Amino acid sequence: RDVHVRADAGGGLARVVLEQRFDNVHSDPLAATYQLPLPADGAVVGFSFQIGEQRIVGEIDRKHHARQRYEEALAQGRTAAILEQDRSSLFTQELGNIPPGVSITAEIIIEQPLAWRQDGWEWRFPTVVAPRFVSAGTPDAERTSVDVADGPMAATARLTMAIRDALTGEISSPSHALSGDAQALTLPVGAPLDRDLVV
């Protein structure tokens, strides 16, 4: 239903909180599995999800053990989530046992270095999982293959960004029209998720 990217940048680093909200409008529990891009140069430092008033905080664990714990939680009828890294910039997230009529918000916290470009810092955040080259014999090829949309997608994003450095020039974006100032930059409502966010 909604993607909100909150970024706080300063001193060559950005702390980014990616929130994704899902609504189960059906009468049965649902599971959501999807791929998402995250910055290849970033590090996931936090993972949680909110369901109703309850916030469940994730733990970093070995892939096999994390998968086992996730499956056990689902078997016990609990709502659970898992985030797995498939490639440096490609992750798979699963949300299981989303109760009927409930909203769930997944939150991923990323710390990411900014890139120095000519006379200023650049922040780039990916929003699209693009097709990738997969060589013959790649053992997990199915995890990295993606379908390509044949038209515009309904999913949109919101951005809220604060810049903590003293500015010596203008804030600009080659990817999106931004509004606001260094304390609160925002995207127009309903920005499409079809290109990187670049500031």
Side-chain angles (χ1 to χ4, degrees), residues 1-191:
R1 295 292 185 198
D2 183 53
V3 175
H4 188 186
V5 180
R6 290 185 283 120
D8 193 281
L13 294 171
R15 184 172 181 89
V16 183
V17 179
L18 173 64
E19 292 180 349
Q20 299 170 311
R21 184 173 64 88
F22 299 86
D23 296 339
N24 182 356
V25 297
H26 303 284
S27 57
D28 295 312
L30 289 183
T33 301
Y34 62 99
Q35 293 173 311
L36 68 153
L38 292 177
D41 58 354
V44 174
V45 297
F47 174 68
S48 64
F49 68 92
Q50 179 104 18
I51 183 165
E53 297 299 314
Q54 189 175 18
R55 184 170 183 260
I56 292 89
V57 177
E59 298 175 355
I60 297 173
D61 204 345
R62 294 189 181 275
K63 205 172 215 179
H64 174 74
H65 192 239
R67 169 62 55 188
Q68 183 179 7
R69 292 170 62 193
Y70 173 74
E71 298 293 344
E72 287 172 1
L74 295 183
Q76 294 168 6
R78 293 184 288 159
T79 301
I82 188 169
L83 178 69
E84 295 178 307
Q85 185 174 12
D86 299 315
R87 296 293 185 270
S88 63
S89 62
L90 178 65
F91 288 71
T92 298
Q93 178 154 275
E94 295 179 51
L95 305 168
N97 282 341
I98 304 170
V102 167
S103 292
I104 185 169
T105 300
E107 179 183 276
I108 303 168
I109 302 172
I110 304 112
E111 292 194 351
Q112 173 187 11
L114 303 176
W116 184 259
R117 303 279 188 240
Q118 296 175 352
D119 58 353
W121 293 112
E122 179 185 87
W123 173 70
R124 178 179 294 268
F125 196 84
T127 68
V128 177
V129 175
R132 295 164 181 257
F133 171 76
V134 178
S135 62
T138 301
D140 62 346
E142 70 283 348
R143 284 191 70 85
T144 60
S145 64
V146 296
D147 295 328
V148 177
D150 58 1
M153 301 291 289
T156 59
R158 293 182 293 140
L159 167 69
T160 307
M161 183 175 199
I163 299 172
R164 304 293 175 201
D165 292 323
L167 296 178
T168 58
E170 295 295 317
I171 301 169
S172 64
S173 172
S175 64
H176 294 81
L178 299 175
S179 59
D181 56 22
Q183 283 72 47
L185 280 177
T186 58
L187 274 175
V189 174

